[in-house]
Amino acid sequence: MRVFARRIGVAVLAGVLLAAPLTGCGGQRDTATEAAAGAAEVPVDLPVGESSIPDASPSAVESMGRGPSATPSRSGTPSPTAKPAPRRTAGPRATPKPPTETKVPPPPPKPAPSGCQPTYSGTQASRAQVKSALADAAARTYWPTSAPDIRIPLNLVKATAWQESGWQSNIVACDGGIGLMQVMPGTADWMNQRFGQSYDVRDYRDNAYLGGTYLAWLTKYIGDMYFDADYRLDADLCSAELDSCLLNAVIAAYNYGHHAVAREGEPLTVPNPGYVRNVRALMTECVCLDY
């Protein structure tokens, strides 16, 4: 997915955000703009079967995106047979493990032309509607079988949506990124096929789920390779070095794509420090946190 704002201070983001050009999901950017990507959800407690995803690896044929329930259920509760996630005391592995996910999102789009302005399509969702959709996306259990402890923090979802679109649900970037989470159509198609869903990237609720699921997919992908399946997106685990924690790596990969951050046989890389610092700052200072 792509960054919505230029590299500006957090204190003035709310005032100037809508003046900067957008770019789309899962792609690279130039020195003035940056990018990110999206994903999908699945009905509550309905695992995706192998018949619906014939090309998926064993870890892929799982339920994703179970929504919170008003009555007690397995949602949000680790599987009785799931092993507790290990707790790392150091940074990422110098030499990563082979990826557990063999089916990956499409390559990033080409950079948008300089000076291109975003367009708008459809009706803008209200702030209350956007808040509800992002909260629902953050509340989901995305990997209930193999990684039930993966949780996407609400402040990360809110901050990412603000960085990407300024919470504009009907905005379309020059490179094709769509909506709240600036999901690229190709990434949305891949996630829908990957998880057997049919989410509409132009629907603000589905767009929030797609973005949340992509964050969860990146958490699993990078966490397995570099953090020994410790999936904590915890800012307290980060040092001054941007490549020190899973949270920074996931933010970076949302913007530049997974392959720019996590490569087989190579150390973890954060190629877009400006974007990562912006989102990290928004996670604690964004005006959107009070909406």
Side-chain angles (χ1 to χ4, degrees):
M1 300 188 181
R2 285 295 205 178
V3 65
F4 167 74
R6 297 175 185 231
R7 293 181 183 171
I8 54 179
V10 172
V12 296
L13 270 177
V16 299
L17 197 55
L18 302 186
L22 277 157
T23 48
C25 152
Q28 298 182 355
R29 58 163 291 167
D30 58 21
T31 56
T33 54
E34 294 174 331
E41 65 139 344
V42 192
V44 176
D45 285 334
L46 295 181
V48 178
E50 290 186 339
S51 61
S52 64
I53 319 174
D55 296 329
S57 60
S59 62
V61 289
E62 298 184 45
S63 168
M64 296 232 358
R66 299 187 307 172
S69 173
T71 57
S73 72
R74 289 186 296 150
S75 179
T77 302
S79 167
T81 59
K83 295 180 180 179
R87 297 307 191 194
R88 291 180 61 83
T89 58
R93 298 171 59 93
T95 302
K97 294 180 178 180
T100 56
E101 288 282 298
T102 57
K103 302 297 182 180
V104 296
K110 295 180 180 180
S114 177
C116 179
Q117 296 297 316
T119 59
Y120 295 85
S121 176
T123 303
Q124 163 71 17
S126 69
R127 183 174 293 173
Q129 289 173 320
V130 170
K131 176 182 177 180
S132 177
L134 295 175
D136 189 36
R140 293 172 181 269
T141 301
Y142 287 98
W143 295 90
T145 302
S146 65
D149 54 333
I150 287 181
R151 292 292 185 271
I152 308 303
L154 177 57
N155 63 342
L156 173 58
V157 178
K158 284 185 171 182
T160 301
W162 190 264
Q163 173 74 18
E164 292 292 327
S165 71
W167 283 27
Q168 297 179 94
S169 65
N170 61 339
I171 196 165
V172 180
C174 294
D175 68 351
I178 295 173
L180 293 175
M181 305 296 283
Q182 283 295 284
V183 181
M184 294 298 295
T187 304
D189 291 343
W190 177 82
M191 294 301 282
N192 276 333
Q193 183 178 20
R194 160 74 171 69
F195 298 113
Q197 297 302 302
S198 57
Y199 287 94
D200 180 0
V201 70
R202 293 184 180 275
D203 180 277
Y204 74 92
R205 291 158 296 195
D206 287 3
N207 192 284
Y209 302 153
L210 287 164
T213 307
Y214 189 62
L215 287 168
W217 186 88
L218 290 168
T219 300
K220 181 75 163 59
Y221 184 83
I222 301 172
D224 286 343
M225 289 182 68
Y226 290 93
F227 295 91
D228 296 322
D230 182 349
Y231 305 121
R232 289 175 293 170
L233 297 175
D234 189 343
D236 291 338
L237 299 175
C238 304
S239 70
E241 300 296 327
L242 286 179
D243 61 358
S244 62
C245 61
L246 182 58
L247 173 61
N248 289 348
V250 168
I251 293 171
Y254 190 92
N255 174 234
Y256 254 40
H258 71 283
H259 187 64
V261 175
R263 296 187 179 99
E264 291 189 63
E266 298 185 18
L268 190 69
T269 303
V270 175
N272 47 351
Y275 181 92
V276 174
R277 291 190 179 101
N278 280 352
V279 174
R280 285 291 308 277
L282 287 168
M283 288 178 66
T284 59
E285 301 176 31
C286 182
V287 295
C288 63
L289 301 178
D290 295 327
Y291 292 163

